[in-house]
Amino acid sequence: MATTPPSKVPATAPAATGDFAKGLAGIVAGRTAICSLEGDLRYRGYAIGPLATAGDFEEVAYLLLYGELPTPDEHAAFSRRVHGAARGLDPAVVDCLTRLAARAPTAAPMDVLRTGVSLLGQIELDQTPGPREALLQQAERLLGQVPAILAAWMDLAAGRPVAPWPEGPLAPALLERLTGHRPTAEQTAIFGTTLVLYAEHEFNASTFTARTIVSTGSDMHSGITGAIGALKGPLHGGANEQVLETLSAIGSADRAEAWVGEQFAAKRVVMGFGHRVYKDGDVRAKLLGRMCRDLARGTAAEPLEDLADRVERLMLEHKGLKPNLDWPAARVYHALGLPVSVFTPIFVVARMSGWTAHIIEQIGDNRLIRPLSLYCGAPPRDYRPLAHRR
Ligand code: COA
C-alpha cells in the first residue's frame, strides 16, 4: 500500500491517515439548501411541524423544487401539471407493465417502480441533464407518473384493467387508487401528512445515491432509478414494510417481551427503531405517532397500537432506542387499509420530490462525487501466467 498520499490529497484525508468512517457516519459530504436536520427538521427553512399538519403534498413538493412556498395560483398550476402527468401515463409503459404482470404478477411493486422510471427515461430519450427549467419539468412529470405507475401495476397484477387517475390532489387520488375507496377527510389528512414527512431528508442513502449518479453527468431518470434501488433495502425505506411484518409476527402485546428478547439474543435489529442521525428520537416519528394513536382509537387497529406501545417501551428500556418514522407510518398505512407491498412504494412517491430537488441542486453546482478508500487487501504479489499456476 502506498504510504505517501498523491500530491492533490490533503495530509489529513482519511486514506493518508489510515482513518476512515465506516458507512460514512459523521462525514459531511456536501452542502444543501433543501433540508436541514440541525436542531429541528426544516424544509427550505420551514419547520416540519406546520408543514406536516397542513399535510399538503403539492405545497411541499413545490417548496422543495422551487425553494419557496407556492402562492394559490402557483399551487393550482403546479397541481394541474402533476395531475396531468398522472393521467397521461405513456401507453408504452402501460403495455410493458401489462406484459410484465402477465409474466410475474407477484413481482415487488418496488421493482416495478424501478423498472418503470427506467422505461420513462428511455421513452423520453433522457440522456444528459438539461437546463434547470427542463429539469423542473421532468421532476413535475415524474411526480405524477410514478404514483400512476404504482396504481396501474396494482390493477394489472390483480387482473383488473387500469382504472383512470381520479381528479383532485395527489394524496386522496393515490389513496383511492390503492384502496378502491374514496377516502374520508380524516384519512386524506393523515395520508397527506405521511407524504410530507417522507418527502425529504437531506443526505440519506437513496438521495446520496441519486446525487452520486448525476454527479457523473448522467440523467435524472438514471439518478431516480438508482435511488429507488437504494430505498428498497430494509435498513432504509424497506423498513416500513418490515415493521408491519414484525408486528404481525409478534401478534399481541403479551408476547412482545419474549419476542424482543429473542431478537436481542440473536443480535437482530428491530425494524423501525434507531437512526443514523437522530440518536435521541426522530421528530417525524413523534409527530406521526400521536396522530396514528388518535386514528386508531376506538377502531379495530387499537390492539396493534397497544402492541406497538409495548415494543416501544421495551426498546427504550433495554437498548435506549427510539422509533423512527417507519414505525408509525407502517401502522398508519395498515389502518388505512393499504396492502404491505405498497408501503415502500408510497415512500418513493413522496421522496420523488426530495430526490428530484437534490438532483437539480447537484447538477446546478456539480463536482464528481468520488471518495477514497483505505486498502485492506492482499500485500503486493507477483503475477504468474495461467500455465504456471496449479
Ligand atoms: N434494533 C436493535 N439494535 C439496534 C437497532 C435496532 N433497530 N438500531 C441500532 N441498533 C444497535 C446497533 O446494532 C449497534 O449495536 P452495537 O453497538 O452492539 O453494534 C448500536 O445500536 C448503535 O447502532 P448505530 O451506530 O446507531 O446504527 P447505524 O447508525 O449504523 O444504523 C440504522 C442506523 C437505521 C441502519 C439502524 O438503526 C437500523 O438498522 N435500524 C432498523 C432499520 C430501520 O428502521 N431503518 C429505517 C431507518 S429511518
Side-chain angles (χ1 to χ4, degrees):
M1 195 182 90
T3 49
T4 315
S7 60
K8 279 180 119 178
V9 178
T12 52
T17 60
D19 196 10
F20 75 106
K22 194 169 181 188
L24 297 182
I27 299 291
V28 176
R31 291 172 5 137
T32 182
I34 300 168
C35 174
S36 146
L37 270 57
E38 283 160 25
D40 201 4
L41 171 60
R42 286 175 186 271
Y43 294 168
R44 299 275 188 192
Y46 292 102
I48 192 65
L51 294 171
T53 307
D56 180 340
F57 177 65
E58 279 85 344
E59 168 181 83
V60 164
Y62 185 100
L63 171 67
L64 294 171
L65 283 168
Y66 290 89
E68 298 296 335
L69 285 169
T71 63
D73 284 350
E74 286 166 341
H75 187 280
F78 178 77
S79 303
R80 265 198 307 278
R81 294 193 296 272
V82 172
H83 182 262
R87 278 188 95 90
L89 191 58
D90 195 300
V93 174
V94 180
D95 283 354
C96 282
L97 294 180
T98 306
R99 290 179 78 93
L100 290 169
R103 173 73 181 77
T106 56
M110 279 301 279
D111 293 345
V112 174
L113 292 187
R114 194 190 53 213
T115 303
V117 171
S118 187
L119 276 175
L120 289 171
Q122 186 174 348
I123 290 168
E124 297 190 11
L125 308 178
D126 192 8
Q127 286 301 315
T128 48
R132 184 178 157 76
E133 287 64 34
L135 290 171
L136 285 165
Q137 281 171 16
Q138 270 186 345
E140 291 183 354
R141 277 201 302 282
L142 279 163
L143 282 172
Q145 289 165 325
V146 166
I149 289 176
L150 173 61
W153 174 261
M154 296 310 284
D155 283 341
L156 293 166
R160 298 186 296 264
V162 176
W165 187 259
E167 291 300 331
L170 191 141
L174 179 60
L175 203 45
E176 180 178 339
R177 286 291 282 110
L178 295 179
T179 61
H181 310 290
R182 194 167 283 275
T184 64
E186 192 193 17
Q187 290 170 333
T188 298
I190 197 163
F191 188 62
T193 296
T194 69
L195 296 184
V196 168
L197 293 174
Y198 268 140
E200 161 58 13
H201 215 222
E202 199 229 25
F203 275 25
N204 57 85
S206 56
T207 301
F208 194 63
T209 301
R211 290 188 75 126
T212 302
I213 290 173
V214 299
S215 85
T216 67
S218 188
D219 59 282
M220 180 180 278
H221 287 85
S222 295
I224 298 293
T225 303
I228 294 173
L231 191 78
K232 179 183 160 183
L235 298 188
H236 192 8
N240 63 8
E241 295 181 10
Q242 300 289 321
V243 162
L244 209 80
E245 306 294 356
T246 293
L247 291 168
S248 310
I250 305 174
S252 57
D254 58 313
R255 296 195 48 214
E257 185 144 21
W259 186 89
V260 168
E262 279 166 30
Q263 307 313 303
F264 293 162
K267 297 205 174 306
R268 281 195 286 265
V269 291
V270 178
M271 294 298 164
F273 286 85
H275 196 275
R276 171 57 62 79
V277 181
Y278 300 120
K279 295 304 180 196
D280 189 32
D282 179 340
V283 59
R284 303 165 303 169
K286 286 177 205 155
L287 271 166
L288 192 63
R290 279 195 296 271
M291 294 183 189
C292 180
R293 275 183 275 279
D294 290 346
L295 179 76
R297 195 161 298 122
T299 74
E302 210 161 4
L304 199 73
E305 288 306 298
D306 296 341
L307 165 56
D309 276 352
R310 184 86 191 98
V311 176
E312 264 183 54
R313 276 202 298 276
L314 289 164
M315 290 299 288
L316 193 60
E317 256 168 56
H318 294 286
K319 286 270 180 181
L321 286 168
K322 295 187 179 173
N324 57 54
L325 173 58
D326 295 313
W327 184 246
R331 284 144 45 210
V332 168
Y333 292 159
H334 179 64
L336 291 174
L338 291 159
V340 176
S341 66
V342 300
F343 288 10
T344 316
I346 292 170
F347 190 162
V348 171
V349 169
R351 189 55 64 86
M352 198 58 60
S353 56
W355 285 336
T356 49
H358 275 274
I359 285 174
I360 295 170
E361 183 176 65
Q362 180 69 36
I363 291 168
D365 183 24
N366 191 45
R367 189 168 187 211
L368 176 73
I369 296 175
R370 201 297 187 194
L372 299 173
S373 65
L374 187 64
Y375 180 66
C376 62
R381 44 194 171 155
D382 294 331
Y383 173 81
R384 275 193 297 160
L386 184 60
H388 296 233
R389 276 177 255 152
R390 52 174 90 181

